[in-house]
Amino acid sequence: MKTFKRILAIIVSILITASTFSMSAFAAEGDTTTTTTTTLSSDVTEEPTPEPEKMTVTVTTDKEKAAEEALANDPNSVVDTSYDVGDTVIVYVKVTNNYNATALRLPVMFDSEVYELPALPNVKALNSASDNGTIGYNAENDGSFIPENYDASQFGCILLQWTAKVTNGVVGVINAPDGEYCFSFELTVKKAAGGKTGTIFIPSESDLFYDQAIEVASDATTIYYIKDAIENLYNFIDVDVIINAINMVLVPNDTYGTPAVIDEDNLFVWGFTTGLIGNAQIKQFVSSTGGAVIRSTATELGFGTGTKINLYDGTDILKTYTLILFGDVNGDALIDINDVLSISKPASGLSNYEENSLVFAADVNFDGSLDVNDVLKVSKVNLGSDTIDQSPELS
């Protein structure tokens, strides 16, 4: 019996050892599998996350562009980037992007107080935009392209739209990671813009943007539209343009040798004769500089004191002067009893003139005050026994 128990113990011991070995081997195999899986996983190359589409659109001018090029050649270069009234401004649109653009629509706005669109704005596609597509535009400038948060009376807008061409099955693209001038058009500086600064820009608030792209230019099935472009795609850079001041003023008409005097501080003009009957006669006394057109607006009674002499650029009034005829305060271009009666009231303290031009015209002895002496002089002029100097040099 003892011998049997000893043999049974040996057999159990062998079975336990064998079982333990098998479990260790399984564990070892499991570790090997795990290690092998890890090794295989590290050898797999993950696809990089594609960079999101980005585009910077820079608006600049021909003079700013020339300055940039000059500075690139000589850092000490000094280039004047301002414009004179009446100048043509060539506006350039520069695109910097990291994807294959196949269609773009860009509204370009400008200060209408400073610029206007010519009848033919000379819109062009440039460089790869010219090679790979066509440019169209809408220059109706009726305010419909201007976002609601802008005052359409203060801004103009031209809408540019570029579309890719297809050549031999390949779709044209704009892909300019280093930046490229893609479009240009022209604006004209208004004559009334002297001394002002005008901005040309693309409004990020616009809902007119259209952005189409293609993954593979030779495969039209890869064309796609960039969603949420305005939030994620664009960066806009605008340009401010300085307009040089111009001396647009009235001056005596040298052709007729008239004694007109112009007070630029108060915008008063005197030196006229009585009995003026219209704008043509006024222009015999004064002319304008800077190409402005003179148009006069009479008072209710005629072309006397209070007549407005306006300098026009087209339909825009550049400056307004007030005509002074000393002794005439009711604006009929005559010196008579009506003026005597009118001047006597403020001279005696019974009333006051609300307009400085009337106070100035009533001071006919030019002593800086309105009193009985002025009434007496106008009375004498009405009776024909005295005259008034209509061209005094007053400081």
Side-chain angles (χ1 to χ4, degrees), residues 52 96 100 109 126-127 166 198 216 231-232 264 300 302-303 337 345 359 370 374:
T96 306
N100 294 326
M109 289 175 57
L126 310 171
N127 301 311
V166 179
V216 181
E231 290 84 2
N232 303 314
E264 284 293 333
E300 293 181 358
F303 287 88
I337 188 61
K345 294 178 181 179
V359 176
L370 182 53
D374 299 299

Side-chain angles (χ1 to χ4, degrees), residues 68-298:
E68 178 184 336
E69 294 169 351
L71 287 170
N73 294 324
D74 180 3
N76 297 317
S77 295
V78 177
V79 179
D80 181 13
T81 58
S82 62
Y83 291 82
D84 293 324
V85 297
D87 278 355
T88 295
V89 178
I90 302 176
V91 180
Y92 285 92
V93 179
K94 184 178 182 180
V95 172
T96 306
N97 67 332
N98 64 348
Y99 65 96
N100 294 326
T102 57
L104 292 174
R105 185 162 61 206
L106 301 169
V108 184
M109 289 175 57
F110 51 88
D111 291 319
S112 56
E113 185 182 33
V114 176
Y115 311 102
E116 61 185 352
L117 275 170
L120 297 174
N122 198 21
V123 177
K124 295 180 180 179
L126 310 171
N127 301 311
S128 65
S130 175
D131 297 337
N132 299 335
T134 57
I135 185 70
Y137 68 94
N138 188 318
E140 290 183 6
N141 195 26
D142 58 2
S144 59
F145 303 143
I146 296 176
E148 292 182 355
N149 57 320
Y150 290 90
D151 185 346
S153 67
Q154 297 181 9
F155 296 96
C157 185
I158 183 171
L159 186 66
L160 305 178
Q161 179 151 337
W162 178 85
T163 306
K165 295 186 292 190
V166 179
T167 305
N168 298 324
V170 178
V171 180
V173 302
I174 295 176
N175 191 327
D178 296 324
E180 186 174 271
Y181 290 102
C182 291
F183 316 114
S184 70
F185 66 92
E186 294 178 359
L187 293 174
T188 302
V189 179
K190 289 185 173 180
K191 290 183 180 179
K196 298 177 182 177
T197 299
T199 304
I200 308 170
F201 64 102
I202 296 176
S204 61
E205 302 89 342
S206 177
D207 59 1
L208 297 173
F209 299 105
Y210 182 81
D211 309 282
Q212 183 179 279
I214 191 169
E215 293 180 3
V216 181
S218 59
D219 185 357
T221 64
T222 63
I223 288 177
Y224 64 100
Y225 177 73
I226 302 175
K227 296 180 179 180
D228 301 323
I230 194 59
E231 290 84 2
N232 303 314
L233 173 65
Y234 284 122
N235 176 39
F236 298 118
I237 300 174
D238 57 23
V239 61
D240 290 326
V241 179
I242 296 174
I243 311 302
N244 297 321
I246 185 169
N247 192 27
M248 284 190 166
V249 295
L250 280 180
V251 293
N253 191 333
D254 292 335
T255 301
Y256 293 92
T258 56
V261 179
I262 293 93
D263 177 0
E264 284 293 333
D265 292 332
N266 298 297
L267 296 180
F268 290 163
V269 186
W270 62 89
F272 301 93
T273 59
T274 58
L276 292 172
I277 58 174
N279 188 63
Q281 193 174 6
I282 289 174
K283 290 197 293 184
Q284 293 179 5
F285 288 85
V286 291
S287 59
S288 64
T289 63
V293 176
I294 298 174
R295 297 192 184 101
S296 302
T297 303

Side-chain angles (χ1 to χ4, degrees), residues 25-48:
F26 179 77
E29 287 177 5
D31 292 342
T32 303
T33 302
T34 302
T35 303
T36 303
T37 302
T38 303
T39 302
L40 290 174
S41 176
S42 65
D43 291 340
V44 175
T45 302
E46 294 184 2
E47 289 293 329

